[in-house]
Amino acid sequence: MTPFDAFGVLDMRVGRIVKAEPNVKAVKPAYKLWIDFGALGVKTSSAQLAALYRSEDLEGRLIVAAVNLGDRRIAGFKSEVLVLGAPDDEGRVVLLALDRDVPIGGRIF
């Protein structure tokens, strides 16, 4: 498989966080997220974003997530998608951001 083909296997989509609340059972501070992906529906994710983001600041925000990696249970919560970010100098997760509004559910390429 070529690197380009391998990239095509990963399905990354734009979603909008519709609800965020602390995942109090998580070992590291995290949020339970409900993310609307348009035609794909609302999916859940547990994300370690508490160091830089408040739950009320996450709601309504556009994010990028990998949607085809399968489900995992994290601290008793079903995590269906992987929200993408990058670590800052202190290892805190900084969300990947879009600089303009785009339709939710759109595929990243």
Side-chain angles (χ1 to χ4, degrees):
M1 182 180 293
T2 69
F4 187 77
D5 291 337
F7 179 79
V9 171
L10 185 59
D11 189 1
M12 294 180 291
R13 302 282 178 140
V14 175
R16 185 175 305 278
I17 298 173
V18 294
K19 181 179 175 184
E21 63 184 43
N23 188 345
V24 296
K25 293 182 180 179
V27 174
K28 294 181 181 179
Y31 290 116
K32 296 177 185 179
L33 304 177
W34 287 262
I35 307 164
D36 185 357
F37 289 97
L40 295 176
V42 174
K43 306 287 184 183
T44 54
S45 184
S46 181
Q48 295 176 4
L49 304 173
L52 293 178
Y53 302 94
R54 298 179 312 159
S55 59
E56 58 267 23
D57 296 331
L58 292 170
E59 292 178 5
R61 185 181 182 115
L62 289 177
I63 56 87
V64 175
V67 299
N68 67 335
L69 298 177
D71 299 349
R72 295 180 59 193
R73 288 207 85 66
I74 299 176
F77 184 70
K78 183 178 179 182
S79 189
E80 301 172 288
V81 300
L82 177 65
V83 175
L84 301 179
D88 68 7
D89 289 340
E90 296 177 31
R92 301 172 298 188
V93 177
V94 177
L95 286 170
L96 292 186
L98 298 155
D99 68 351
R100 299 189 188 212
D101 235 6
V102 297
I104 58 174
R107 186 159 186 170
I108 303 300
F109 54 86

